[in-house]
Amino acid sequence: MLDHSKSVGIQTKENNLENYEAAYKDFSWVDVEKAFTWSETGKVNAAYEAIDRHVMEGKGHKTALWYSDESRDEKYTFGDLKTKSNQFGNILRKYGIGKGDRVFIFLPRTPELYISFLGALKVGSIIGPLFEAFMTVAVKDRLEDSEAVALVTTPSLLSRVPLDELPHLKHVILVGDDANTANTISFEKEMASASTDLEIEWVDREDPMLIHYTSGSTGKPKGVVHVHNAMILHYQTGKWVVDLQEDDVYWCTADPGWVTGTSYGIFGPWLHGVTSVVRGGRFTPTDWYQTIEKCKVTVWYSAPTAFRMLMSAGDEEVAKHDLSSVRHILSVGEPLNPEVVRWGLKVYGKRIHDNWWMTETGGTMIANYPQMDVKPGSMGRPFPGIYAAIIDDNGNELPPYSMGHLAIRAGWPSMMRQVWKNEAKYQEYFRIAGWYLSGDTAYQDEDGYFWFQGRIDDVINTAGKRVGPFEVESALVEHPAVAEAGVIGKPDAVRGEIIKAFIALRQGYEASAELKEEIRQFVKDHMAAHAAPREIEFIDKLPKTRSGKIMRRVLKARELGLPTGDLSTMEE
Ligand code: WTA
């Protein structure tokens, strides 16, 4: 059995590989299954396990959600969240929305987002959380593909939803609608009269609960579907990787529009009955440290981009705040530079623990967990019960220090169960028998630590957000001046990568700084600010294959001054 006592607090001992080996050997998923209600009934609901169970166990008065932004500072107990999510579930039921229906939530990070999320889960709906920075095209693509029947949003965000182009979308629930917008449902009015009792929809473990859209290198974003059963991994990693304990005040800085914000912003903490801090709005380094100081955050989960931003804000900023409450720091989403780990140790007195996983894996697969010695620059070792390896194109496992595909033995509790309405895309991940292929390349060292190398495809990771070059190219060519566009990720010190677009203009358009800015703004307005190219270069002609595909790798190699590689398929 894993010995949890070893995972507590700051590491004082340098190395604990022996504990790790022991944990790995005896690990089983079964113990945790007993913790959940389904062991008695065979049926399950993740919202019940995350919220109601703690109320049943006498923890109804404990703070579950501590929300603050510039104008609000509110605490919600587990009891409050139980009641309010029941009410929201009743609103959905009243309009005939229930099991299997896609309910999308397009809200800023506010308590209403979490209440709607839990309420929709309770009636068995499949939730699609949308990042609040998404603009019209991004919103439409996702609502259309998923055939969402209901949307929870605000009046201002509603202006980005092309309602007349979305025939499946029957119900719009508006939060904070003072104007009584026609044909919509008022969140506040309905909540005021909704019953606080709800008959929970008990579902099967394999029933879907969540769709996260994510980008590949080709085609539109794909809907990665997760099932209720994922909570086994959320619970186990919440305990062993995030090190959550009864009295923790936990802060995951991710937005629920991204998978980290659901797996570790909702399920991880609440399955453990831990107080979770949510900070709304955009924040400056001062806000970050003030949040930690005010809430006495003990466990802090964030991303390399954020840590790099804090690092560039300077050590003096750290010194102005009392951050002594922090016990454990985690990071995910992109490579965590060794320099940042060393800086963290210097200013926070704590190691930042890197984690590797993806939208598709549903939760942590590889981590530096508290029992382990952190090797700065490494993503760590596989979580017990997860078998990760470096393999070649034929599925053979490679010895230490060989670079290859980072792959996981298929079949773990939180593995995505489908790509929404796209079985072919789903199967692409499993094209080597027995393995899930991440699309990342890496190597392992002789201690079994994994070291990230890159992507095999053209997917861009900018400030921890996955962006598909094809989507950006598609948005670019919508602009009247753009004939063709090729988009690459270019290394950047703070953002990891920035988006650079190479554009061939249509006849009659002149290259100019104003036009660049106009095109940039155009992508911002259509997709999202983070998807807009920070750099644009006009070129006469894009490198293409004979079959007409844009050769992004050639653009990238030229940009970085690297060899362009095999050009045999390039057109004359
Ligand atoms: C990258 C975020 C290096 C990787 C939870 C992966 C990382 C993609 C790390 C998934 C890490 C994630 N070191 N790269 N520790 N963690 N990545 O789906 O390329 O938004 O495939 O999931 O981010 O991004 P996603």
mmCIF file of all heavy atoms in Angstrom, residues 349-382:
data_model
loop_
_atom_site.group_PDB
_atom_site.id
_atom_site.type_symbol
_atom_site.label_atom_id
_atom_site.label_comp_id
_atom_site.label_asym_id
_atom_site.label_seq_id
_atom_site.Cartn_x
_atom_site.Cartn_y
_atom_site.Cartn_z
ATOM 1 N N GLY A 349 11.155 28.856 -1.351
ATOM 2 C CA GLY A 349 11.671 27.803 -0.472
ATOM 3 C C GLY A 349 11.028 26.457 -0.750
ATOM 4 O O GLY A 349 11.046 25.562 0.090
ATOM 5 N N LYS A 350 10.435 26.307 -1.922
ATOM 6 C CA LYS A 350 9.753 25.056 -2.283
ATOM 7 C C LYS A 350 10.131 24.686 -3.713
ATOM 8 O O LYS A 350 10.298 25.568 -4.557
ATOM 9 C CB LYS A 350 8.219 25.237 -2.273
ATOM 10 C CG LYS A 350 7.646 25.742 -0.980
ATOM 11 C CD LYS A 350 7.659 24.661 0.060
ATOM 12 C CE LYS A 350 7.105 25.163 1.383
ATOM 13 N NZ LYS A 350 7.715 26.375 1.906
ATOM 14 N N ARG A 351 10.151 23.412 -3.972
ATOM 15 C CA ARG A 351 10.325 22.978 -5.352
ATOM 16 C C ARG A 351 8.983 23.082 -6.066
ATOM 17 O O ARG A 351 7.952 22.806 -5.459
ATOM 18 C CB ARG A 351 10.807 21.538 -5.408
ATOM 19 C CG ARG A 351 12.222 21.359 -4.905
ATOM 20 C CD ARG A 351 12.546 19.873 -4.825
ATOM 21 N NE ARG A 351 13.900 19.671 -4.355
ATOM 22 C CZ ARG A 351 14.268 19.749 -3.078
ATOM 23 N NH1 ARG A 351 13.370 20.001 -2.139
ATOM 24 N NH2 ARG A 351 15.515 19.570 -2.737
ATOM 25 N N ILE A 352 9.033 23.460 -7.325
ATOM 26 C CA ILE A 352 7.812 23.412 -8.131
ATOM 27 C C ILE A 352 7.780 22.027 -8.775
ATOM 28 O O ILE A 352 8.738 21.623 -9.424
ATOM 29 C CB ILE A 352 7.808 24.514 -9.212
ATOM 30 C CG1 ILE A 352 7.925 25.898 -8.557
ATOM 31 C CG2 ILE A 352 6.535 24.422 -10.060
ATOM 32 C CD1 ILE A 352 8.124 27.043 -9.545
ATOM 33 N N HIS A 353 6.693 21.308 -8.550
ATOM 34 C CA HIS A 353 6.605 19.917 -9.015
ATOM 35 C C HIS A 353 5.935 19.860 -10.382
ATOM 36 O O HIS A 353 4.752 20.151 -10.498
ATOM 37 C CB HIS A 353 5.823 19.070 -8.002
ATOM 38 C CG HIS A 353 6.542 18.915 -6.700
ATOM 39 N ND1 HIS A 353 6.644 19.941 -5.784
ATOM 40 C CD2 HIS A 353 7.223 17.868 -6.180
ATOM 41 C CE1 HIS A 353 7.350 19.518 -4.742
ATOM 42 N NE2 HIS A 353 7.712 18.263 -4.960
ATOM 43 N N ASP A 354 6.708 19.469 -11.372
ATOM 44 C CA ASP A 354 6.177 19.382 -12.732
ATOM 45 C C ASP A 354 5.294 18.139 -12.885
ATOM 46 O O ASP A 354 5.556 17.101 -12.279
ATOM 47 C CB ASP A 354 7.351 19.314 -13.723
ATOM 48 C CG ASP A 354 6.919 19.571 -15.151
ATOM 49 O OD1 ASP A 354 5.784 20.026 -15.361
ATOM 50 O OD2 ASP A 354 7.733 19.320 -16.071
ATOM 51 N N ASN A 355 4.255 18.295 -13.699
ATOM 52 C CA ASN A 355 3.331 17.202 -14.011
ATOM 53 C C ASN A 355 3.149 17.132 -15.504
ATOM 54 O O ASN A 355 3.055 18.170 -16.155
ATOM 55 C CB ASN A 355 1.931 17.488 -13.454
ATOM 56 C CG ASN A 355 1.861 17.327 -11.963
ATOM 57 O OD1 ASN A 355 1.281 16.392 -11.454
ATOM 58 N ND2 ASN A 355 2.467 18.266 -11.249
ATOM 59 N N TRP A 356 3.053 15.934 -16.036
ATOM 60 C CA TRP A 356 2.757 15.795 -17.462
ATOM 61 C C TRP A 356 1.446 15.041 -17.653
ATOM 62 O O TRP A 356 1.263 13.964 -17.074
ATOM 63 C CB TRP A 356 3.867 15.041 -18.210
ATOM 64 C CG TRP A 356 3.513 14.845 -19.655
ATOM 65 C CD1 TRP A 356 3.820 15.696 -20.677
ATOM 66 C CD2 TRP A 356 2.783 13.758 -20.237
ATOM 67 N NE1 TRP A 356 3.310 15.205 -21.864
ATOM 68 C CE2 TRP A 356 2.663 14.020 -21.617
ATOM 69 C CE3 TRP A 356 2.192 12.592 -19.726
ATOM 70 C CZ2 TRP A 356 2.006 13.166 -22.504
ATOM 71 C CZ3 TRP A 356 1.525 11.744 -20.604
ATOM 72 C CH2 TRP A 356 1.443 12.038 -21.982
ATOM 73 N N TRP A 357 0.571 15.647 -18.413
ATOM 74 C CA TRP A 357 -0.636 14.956 -18.850
ATOM 75 C C TRP A 357 -1.282 15.791 -19.942
ATOM 76 O O TRP A 357 -0.722 16.808 -20.360
ATOM 77 C CB TRP A 357 -1.589 14.668 -17.697
ATOM 78 C CG TRP A 357 -2.002 15.823 -16.830
ATOM 79 C CD1 TRP A 357 -1.239 16.493 -15.920
ATOM 80 C CD2 TRP A 357 -3.298 16.430 -16.782
ATOM 81 N NE1 TRP A 357 -1.977 17.471 -15.306
ATOM 82 C CE2 TRP A 357 -3.237 17.456 -15.813
ATOM 83 C CE3 TRP A 357 -4.500 16.192 -17.450
ATOM 84 C CZ2 TRP A 357 -4.346 18.270 -15.505
ATOM 85 C CZ3 TRP A 357 -5.599 16.985 -17.135
ATOM 86 C CH2 TRP A 357 -5.519 18.013 -16.183
ATOM 87 N N MET A 358 -2.439 15.349 -20.432
ATOM 88 C CA MET A 358 -3.079 16.022 -21.554
ATOM 89 C C MET A 358 -4.588 16.011 -21.361
ATOM 90 O O MET A 358 -5.105 15.223 -20.583
ATOM 91 C CB MET A 358 -2.805 15.272 -22.865
ATOM 92 C CG MET A 358 -1.371 14.917 -23.108
ATOM 93 S SD MET A 358 -1.171 13.897 -24.584
ATOM 94 C CE MET A 358 -1.711 15.020 -25.867
ATOM 95 N N THR A 359 -5.270 16.829 -22.149
ATOM 96 C CA THR A 359 -6.729 16.822 -22.140
ATOM 97 C C THR A 359 -7.234 15.384 -22.271
ATOM 98 O O THR A 359 -8.139 14.955 -21.552
ATOM 99 C CB THR A 359 -7.265 17.672 -23.311
ATOM 100 O OG1 THR A 359 -6.682 18.971 -23.230
ATOM 101 C CG2 THR A 359 -8.774 17.773 -23.268
ATOM 102 N N GLU A 360 -6.617 14.641 -23.178
ATOM 103 C CA GLU A 360 -7.069 13.293 -23.489
ATOM 104 C C GLU A 360 -6.860 12.306 -22.338
ATOM 105 O O GLU A 360 -7.574 11.311 -22.227
ATOM 106 C CB GLU A 360 -6.321 12.759 -24.719
ATOM 107 C CG GLU A 360 -6.637 13.485 -26.023
ATOM 108 C CD GLU A 360 -5.772 14.740 -26.259
ATOM 109 O OE1 GLU A 360 -5.241 15.294 -25.262
ATOM 110 O OE2 GLU A 360 -5.649 15.151 -27.409
ATOM 111 N N THR A 361 -5.851 12.534 -21.497
ATOM 112 C CA THR A 361 -5.572 11.578 -20.419
ATOM 113 C C THR A 361 -6.446 11.843 -19.190
ATOM 114 O O THR A 361 -6.500 11.010 -18.292
ATOM 115 C CB THR A 361 -4.088 11.596 -19.979
ATOM 116 O OG1 THR A 361 -3.802 12.835 -19.311
ATOM 117 C CG2 THR A 361 -3.144 11.413 -21.167
ATOM 118 N N GLY A 362 -7.076 13.001 -19.148
ATOM 119 C CA GLY A 362 -8.030 13.304 -18.079
ATOM 120 C C GLY A 362 -7.397 13.640 -16.737
ATOM 121 O O GLY A 362 -8.070 14.149 -15.846
ATOM 122 N N GLY A 363 -6.147 13.348 -16.571
ATOM 123 C CA GLY A 363 -5.487 13.639 -15.302
ATOM 124 C C GLY A 363 -4.019 13.261 -15.401
ATOM 125 O O GLY A 363 -3.558 12.767 -16.439
ATOM 126 N N THR A 364 -3.324 13.464 -14.290
ATOM 127 C CA THR A 364 -1.873 13.283 -14.258
ATOM 128 C C THR A 364 -1.442 11.874 -14.628
ATOM 129 O O THR A 364 -1.960 10.894 -14.083
ATOM 130 C CB THR A 364 -1.362 13.581 -12.835
ATOM 131 O OG1 THR A 364 -1.804 14.887 -12.491
ATOM 132 C CG2 THR A 364 0.148 13.497 -12.771
ATOM 133 N N MET A 365 -0.487 11.783 -15.516
ATOM 134 C CA MET A 365 0.093 10.497 -15.905
ATOM 135 C C MET A 365 1.519 10.362 -15.380
ATOM 136 O O MET A 365 1.940 9.309 -14.957
ATOM 137 C CB MET A 365 0.124 10.378 -17.446
ATOM 138 C CG MET A 365 -1.228 10.370 -18.118
ATOM 139 S SD MET A 365 -2.100 8.793 -17.893
ATOM 140 C CE MET A 365 -3.327 9.284 -16.690
ATOM 141 N N ILE A 366 2.254 11.466 -15.463
ATOM 142 C CA ILE A 366 3.654 11.469 -15.043
ATOM 143 C C ILE A 366 3.827 12.676 -14.133
ATOM 144 O O ILE A 366 3.326 13.756 -14.441
ATOM 145 C CB ILE A 366 4.574 11.573 -16.273
ATOM 146 C CG1 ILE A 366 4.436 10.314 -17.140
ATOM 147 C CG2 ILE A 366 6.035 11.809 -15.868
ATOM 148 C CD1 ILE A 366 5.231 10.348 -18.426
ATOM 149 N N ALA A 367 4.513 12.492 -13.022
ATOM 150 C CA ALA A 367 4.637 13.621 -12.089
ATOM 151 C C ALA A 367 5.881 13.495 -11.217
ATOM 152 O O ALA A 367 6.408 12.407 -11.013
ATOM 153 C CB ALA A 367 3.409 13.694 -11.191
ATOM 154 N N ASN A 368 6.300 14.643 -10.747
ATOM 155 C CA ASN A 368 7.244 14.690 -9.639
ATOM 156 C C ASN A 368 6.361 14.741 -8.405
ATOM 157 O O ASN A 368 5.787 15.776 -8.115
ATOM 158 C CB ASN A 368 8.059 15.977 -9.712
ATOM 159 C CG ASN A 368 9.042 15.936 -10.866
ATOM 160 O OD1 ASN A 368 10.121 15.377 -10.743
ATOM 161 N ND2 ASN A 368 8.659 16.512 -11.993
ATOM 162 N N TYR A 369 6.189 13.607 -7.735
ATOM 163 C CA TYR A 369 5.317 13.779 -6.584
ATOM 164 C C TYR A 369 6.058 13.902 -5.288
ATOM 165 O O TYR A 369 7.282 13.769 -5.262
ATOM 166 C CB TYR A 369 4.112 12.874 -6.568
ATOM 167 C CG TYR A 369 4.222 11.421 -6.736
ATOM 168 C CD1 TYR A 369 3.986 10.577 -5.679
ATOM 169 C CD2 TYR A 369 4.472 10.888 -7.997
ATOM 170 C CE1 TYR A 369 4.002 9.221 -5.867
ATOM 171 C CE2 TYR A 369 4.488 9.523 -8.180
ATOM 172 C CZ TYR A 369 4.264 8.693 -7.106
ATOM 173 O OH TYR A 369 4.267 7.369 -7.296
ATOM 174 N N PRO A 370 5.298 14.286 -4.242
ATOM 175 C CA PRO A 370 5.992 14.787 -3.053
ATOM 176 C C PRO A 370 7.043 13.831 -2.492
ATOM 177 O O PRO A 370 8.030 14.287 -1.956
ATOM 178 C CB PRO A 370 4.863 15.011 -2.051
ATOM 179 C CG PRO A 370 3.666 15.255 -2.892
ATOM 180 C CD PRO A 370 3.844 14.405 -4.107
ATOM 181 N N GLN A 371 6.833 12.526 -2.644
ATOM 182 C CA GLN A 371 7.833 11.604 -2.086
ATOM 183 C C GLN A 371 9.129 11.616 -2.875
ATOM 184 O O GLN A 371 10.110 11.039 -2.461
ATOM 185 C CB GLN A 371 7.330 10.152 -2.121
ATOM 186 C CG GLN A 371 6.086 9.880 -1.358
ATOM 187 C CD GLN A 371 4.900 9.857 -2.289
ATOM 188 O OE1 GLN A 371 4.763 10.720 -3.149
ATOM 189 N NE2 GLN A 371 4.028 8.894 -2.121
ATOM 190 N N MET A 372 9.068 12.202 -4.068
ATOM 191 C CA MET A 372 10.205 12.027 -4.968
ATOM 192 C C MET A 372 11.175 13.180 -4.937
ATOM 193 O O MET A 372 10.824 14.311 -4.668
ATOM 194 C CB MET A 372 9.686 11.899 -6.399
ATOM 195 C CG MET A 372 9.239 10.535 -6.774
ATOM 196 S SD MET A 372 8.377 10.605 -8.352
ATOM 197 C CE MET A 372 9.614 11.402 -9.361
ATOM 198 N N ASP A 373 12.375 12.843 -5.302
ATOM 199 C CA ASP A 373 13.382 13.845 -5.552
ATOM 200 C C ASP A 373 13.044 14.513 -6.890
ATOM 201 O O ASP A 373 12.778 13.824 -7.863
ATOM 202 C CB ASP A 373 14.715 13.114 -5.670
ATOM 203 C CG ASP A 373 15.868 14.052 -5.483
ATOM 204 O OD1 ASP A 373 15.627 15.164 -5.001
ATOM 205 O OD2 ASP A 373 16.988 13.658 -5.816
ATOM 206 N N VAL A 374 13.048 15.825 -6.912
ATOM 207 C CA VAL A 374 12.756 16.526 -8.158
ATOM 208 C C VAL A 374 14.041 16.699 -8.953
ATOM 209 O O VAL A 374 15.039 17.173 -8.434
ATOM 210 C CB VAL A 374 12.145 17.920 -7.868
ATOM 211 C CG1 VAL A 374 12.063 18.746 -9.142
ATOM 212 C CG2 VAL A 374 10.772 17.776 -7.232
ATOM 213 N N LYS A 375 13.980 16.271 -10.210
ATOM 214 C CA LYS A 375 15.108 16.593 -11.093
ATOM 215 C C LYS A 375 14.655 17.761 -11.961
ATOM 216 O O LYS A 375 13.790 17.574 -12.836
ATOM 217 C CB LYS A 375 15.436 15.399 -11.991
ATOM 218 C CG LYS A 375 15.998 14.195 -11.277
ATOM 219 C CD LYS A 375 16.576 13.205 -12.288
ATOM 220 C CE LYS A 375 16.950 11.895 -11.614
ATOM 221 N NZ LYS A 375 17.678 10.980 -12.509
ATOM 222 N N PRO A 376 15.183 18.949 -11.729
ATOM 223 C CA PRO A 376 14.698 20.108 -12.492
ATOM 224 C C PRO A 376 14.812 19.868 -13.998
ATOM 225 O O PRO A 376 15.862 19.451 -14.477
ATOM 226 C CB PRO A 376 15.635 21.233 -12.042
ATOM 227 C CG PRO A 376 16.128 20.804 -10.705
ATOM 228 C CD PRO A 376 16.244 19.315 -10.789
ATOM 229 N N GLY A 377 13.714 20.091 -14.706
ATOM 230 C CA GLY A 377 13.703 19.868 -16.151
ATOM 231 C C GLY A 377 13.040 18.559 -16.537
ATOM 232 O O GLY A 377 12.680 18.357 -17.689
ATOM 233 N N SER A 378 12.860 17.659 -15.567
ATOM 234 C CA SER A 378 12.184 16.395 -15.875
ATOM 235 C C SER A 378 10.727 16.468 -15.438
ATOM 236 O O SER A 378 10.391 17.110 -14.453
ATOM 237 C CB SER A 378 12.851 15.231 -15.137
ATOM 238 O OG SER A 378 11.975 14.119 -15.131
ATOM 239 N N MET A 379 9.880 15.748 -16.180
ATOM 240 C CA MET A 379 8.449 15.735 -15.863
ATOM 241 C C MET A 379 8.141 14.773 -14.723
ATOM 242 O O MET A 379 7.045 14.746 -14.201
ATOM 243 C CB MET A 379 7.659 15.330 -17.100
ATOM 244 C CG MET A 379 8.022 16.181 -18.298
ATOM 245 S SD MET A 379 6.984 15.902 -19.724
ATOM 246 C CE MET A 379 7.482 14.255 -20.237
ATOM 247 N N GLY A 380 9.130 13.950 -14.369
ATOM 248 C CA GLY A 380 8.941 13.026 -13.261
ATOM 249 C C GLY A 380 8.750 11.597 -13.729
ATOM 250 O O GLY A 380 9.212 11.204 -14.802
ATOM 251 N N ARG A 381 8.047 10.818 -12.917
ATOM 252 C CA ARG A 381 7.862 9.391 -13.205
ATOM 253 C C ARG A 381 6.366 9.073 -13.243
ATOM 254 O O ARG A 381 5.549 9.807 -12.704
ATOM 255 C CB ARG A 381 8.545 8.564 -12.127
ATOM 256 C CG ARG A 381 10.011 8.936 -11.980
ATOM 257 C CD ARG A 381 10.689 8.085 -10.944
ATOM 258 N NE ARG A 381 10.978 6.758 -11.452
ATOM 259 C CZ ARG A 381 11.250 5.717 -10.673
ATOM 260 N NH1 ARG A 381 11.208 5.836 -9.361
ATOM 261 N NH2 ARG A 381 11.529 4.555 -11.199
ATOM 262 N N PRO A 382 6.028 7.947 -13.883
ATOM 263 C CA PRO A 382 4.598 7.621 -14.026
ATOM 264 C C PRO A 382 3.922 7.444 -12.675
ATOM 265 O O PRO A 382 4.522 6.938 -11.730
ATOM 266 C CB PRO A 382 4.606 6.292 -14.787
ATOM 267 C CG PRO A 382 5.942 6.217 -15.426
ATOM 268 C CD PRO A 382 6.890 6.961 -14.531
#
